[in-house]
């Protein structure tokens, strides 16, 4: 069976076709330009696969995913030029008479990691997936389902206790200043130090400050959701950085609740090379087909 | 049909018997002393109602509610003297051969408010209930169910951005210092000002500081869970205080996500006089009976 995946990012689109074992059969990438051009390329790509049984889209946002909304399937009030109020699902439905699933990029990644964990025989019903890159966002699965009565989560914009050595930094979020994204997104390295993150060694204190904030984000979802695991992906994250995050997490949590082995609780993605969303899309497309 | 409710608090127990319309038929209160004495009083009370069909317990914690745990039904590592490792459900099962539901006090309250909202024709699938009193805790319903893979939420212990006029206050949480509970629980008034909260007029700046923190808690659950509404109960909360919370919530959220009318989103309990948990217990006992 052929299943389609669209990972719609603000910088690039990754379209892929896979099977019900979540193996990629074909894949393409192109830059995100105008909605018309980018969605036309998406349509043209999938037209090469007339046997396609279902498609799942994991999109940058904010998006409307409440099925009772007239704007269901739209990218809504994104600051990305030209993309606000784009009927993404509607455009694909014009050309494809197959079930189409629609969710956020981070929900797609969360689902991919959830499916993979299950394949690896982890007995879990919940999971949170954070991406820390140009921006910060997270998707969550609770009791096996996505969450959000009033829309999808926006976990990147919570406030945090400020690090004592970072009190002068105002943060870079245009909406909130020093929310999580404003304090730990990739561009904060340059805003704080004038240097890019990849040029700053992990021994530099700025990485401890980053870890302090990311650990607090992990504590917030731990105490609010009690997920089975928290996965961190995105360009800022490495195993060495997560070591620092785990150390601060333990110190801040102070054993207040049991999360088991923290090395297995705060983890890198099981799917390598940022492929979690594609696996998630295949699984969600299959689920939508079987519905 | 007769249904039993135990609201097991750290200071007092409230036992009640009601019907499937959630009306209270009989009710009693007694102080929380030793587990043996207090649970015996609970058993003695319900023995007066041989027609009882099911019981639900909403207990102070932490408690074990994972059904696959050998400690299911226990109050676990509570600091309350004598109560750690108490087999609460086991004690009741000795004397009552009826279905017994077991959850946290705040989950019980959350469920009571959820049921009431439904009776008032609110179309909601999710809700968060905070209590701000001697301590701070919250229960949550997501997609109609309680949450927590590794145990129940402990939302009272998240870290927050500190108020600039409150930086010298260390907080009173013995585990975390300046977590939410450490900054806004009832006893913080005396710790900050030497006066009790009820003796401090709402015009005092300390209430603005409290509202700043409570608004952040509301923002955290808004961005993480996207619930349909957030209910605040407990001794510290009043409608006048929630007005301050709503104002700070709006300023901090900066319209980032839509929560509809904030006056209907951040609210006092529908059930008056801290009765939410009793209504929740009746509904959960009925659900357990019908399972």
């Amino acid at each position: 069976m052929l299943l389609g995946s669209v990972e719609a990012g603000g910088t690039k689109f990754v379209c892929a076709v896979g099977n019900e074992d979540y193996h990629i059969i074909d894949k393409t990438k192109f830059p995100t330009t105008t909605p018309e051009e980018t969605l036309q390329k998406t349509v043209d790509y999938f037209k090469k696969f007339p046997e396609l049984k279902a498609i799942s889209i994991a999109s940058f946002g904010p998006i409307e995913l409440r099925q009772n909304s007239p704007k269901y399937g739209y990218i809504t009030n994104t600051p990305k030029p030209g993309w606000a109020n784009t009927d993404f699902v509607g455009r694909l439905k014009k050309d494809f008479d197959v079930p189409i699933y629609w969710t956020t990029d981070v929900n797609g990644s969360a689902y991919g990691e959830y499916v993979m964990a299950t394949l690896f025989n982890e007995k879990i019903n919940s999971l949170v997936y954070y991406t820390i890159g140009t921006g910060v966002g997270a998707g969550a699965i609770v009791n096996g389902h996505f969450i959000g009565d009033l829309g999808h989560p926006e976990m990147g914009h919570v406030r945090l206790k400020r690090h004592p050595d970072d009190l002068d930094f105002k943060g870079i979020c245009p909406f909130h200043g020093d929310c999580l994204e404003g304090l730990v997104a990739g561009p904060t390295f340059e805003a704080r130090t004038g240097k890019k993150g990849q040029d700053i060694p992990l021994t530099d204190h700025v990485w401890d400050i980053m870890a302090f904030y990311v650990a607090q984000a992990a504590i917030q979802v731990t105490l609010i959701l009690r997920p089975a695991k928290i996965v961190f992906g995105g360009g800022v994250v490495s195993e060495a950085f997560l070591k620092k995050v785990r150390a601060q997490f333990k110190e801040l949590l102070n054993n207040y609740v049991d999360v088991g082995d923290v090395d297995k609780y705060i983890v890198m993605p099981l799917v390598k090379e940022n492929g979690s969303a594609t696996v998630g899309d295949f699984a969600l497309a299959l689920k939508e087909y079987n519905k």
Side-chain angles (χ1 to χ4, degrees), chain A residues 25 53 84 94 109 141 176 205 207 219 226 233 237 248:
Chain A
I25 292 164
K53 291 286 186 258
K94 267 191 202 160
S109 295
I141 291 155
H176 312 105
H205 186 46
W207 282 105
I219 285 184
R226 303 299 305 275
V237 176
Q248 301 248 20

Side-chain angles (χ1 to χ4, degrees), chain A residues 3-101:
Chain A
L3 303 162
S5 163
V6 186
E7 195 190 341
T11 310
K12 68 172 193 292
F13 269 44
V14 181
C15 294
V17 169
N19 64 18
E20 63 267 49
D21 294 326
Y22 318 139
H23 289 135
I24 295 173
I25 292 164
D26 193 80
K27 190 166 115 170
T28 188
K29 287 181 202 186
F30 40 87
T32 309
T33 58
T34 64
E36 296 71 27
E37 186 180 54
T38 317
L39 296 181
Q40 186 61 48
K41 278 189 184 170
T42 305
V43 167
D44 291 346
Y45 174 72
F46 287 119
K47 284 226 166 163
K48 296 192 287 172
F49 303 92
E51 299 300 306
L52 215 59
K53 291 286 186 258
I55 299 170
S56 175
I57 306 160
S59 177
F60 72 98
I63 70 173
E64 182 55 81
L65 39 61
R66 290 172 294 178
Q67 300 210 6
N68 60 357
S69 164
K71 295 279 181 182
Y72 173 79
Y74 280 62
I75 293 179
T76 56
N77 56 339
T78 176
K80 189 171 170 62
W83 281 84
N85 210 27
T86 296
D87 184 7
F88 199 133
V89 173
R91 176 65 193 85
L92 264 66
K93 275 196 182 298
K94 267 191 202 160
D95 280 271
F96 300 100
D97 187 23
V98 299
I100 297 180
Y101 192 81

Side-chain angles (χ1 to χ4, degrees), chain A residues 123-154:
Chain A
K123 304 260 179 294
I124 65 174
N125 294 309
S126 57
L127 179 148
V128 176
Y129 178 98
Y130 277 93
T131 181
I132 306 179
T134 318
V136 178
I141 291 155
V142 169
N143 294 321
H145 298 279
F146 294 133
I147 64 177
D149 237 19
L150 297 182
H152 54 78
E154 286 283 1

Side-chain angles (χ1 to χ4, degrees), chain A residues 169-280:
Chain A
F169 182 58
K170 301 280 179 222
I172 61 165
C173 174
F175 295 94
H176 312 105
D178 64 348
C179 65
L180 175 63
E181 177 170 300
L183 292 172
V184 307
T188 60
F189 285 103
E190 209 157 352
R192 277 198 188 88
T193 68
K195 287 188 271 186
K196 290 194 188 301
Q198 67 251 40
D199 299 329
I200 302 174
L202 264 161
T203 48
D204 192 296
H205 186 46
V206 71
W207 282 105
D208 299 319
I209 291 169
M210 297 285 280
F212 178 71
Y213 295 132
V214 173
Q216 278 187 67
I219 285 184
Q220 285 186 8
V221 291
T222 295
L223 297 176
I224 292 176
L225 290 177
R226 303 299 305 275
K229 65 192 278 194
I230 307 175
V231 182
F232 285 95
V236 169
V237 176
S238 63
E239 181 57 34
F241 174 60
L242 287 192
K243 275 203 174 64
K244 285 179 182 286
V245 172
R246 291 184 197 111
Q248 301 248 20
F249 176 87
K250 280 196 241 186
E251 195 178 321
L252 287 164
L253 188 63
N254 196 14
N255 275 319
Y256 196 70
V257 297
D258 181 18
V259 299
D261 180 353
V262 74
D263 290 341
K264 292 179 181 164
Y265 179 68
I266 292 177
V267 292
M268 298 277 290
L270 289 170
V271 186
K272 300 305 166 200
E273 291 167 13
N274 292 316
S276 312
T278 303
V279 171

